[in-house]
Amino acid sequence: MASYTFKTNINCGGCRSAVTPFLDRETRIKKWEVDILHPDKLLKIEGEQVKPQEIIDLISKAGYKIEQV
């Protein structure tokens, strides 16, 4: 299983709720969490055969900024 970390602008519970449908419908993502208390608002993803660019595309479609760290 691959693990990736991204810097985002997901900074509150409402933002987290907005990205949830995008991340939850991707079946290759097994686990994800956003640390909104971290200065870089880190999104951590664990998944199988999912590529970082695919995650970036999902979060961008939800209207948020994201970059891999």
Side-chain angles (χ1 to χ4, degrees), residues 4 6 28 48-56:
Y4 305 107
F6 301 89
R28 296 173 295 166
E48 295 176 4
Q49 299 178 336
V50 63
K51 300 198 178 343
Q53 187 59 49
E54 293 171 313
I55 297 165
I56 290 169

Side-chain angles (χ1 to χ4, degrees), residues 11-43:
N11 60 13
C12 67
C15 299
R16 188 180 317 179
S17 294
V19 299
T20 295
F22 290 86
L23 294 170
D24 285 353
R25 90 178 75 150
E26 175 50 69
T27 57
R28 296 173 295 166
I29 295 174
K30 302 303 178 193
K31 180 180 175 187
W32 66 271
E33 63 182 348
V34 179
D35 183 354
I36 59 175
L37 300 178
H38 189 282
D40 289 333
K41 313 304 182 208
L42 296 179
L43 169 64

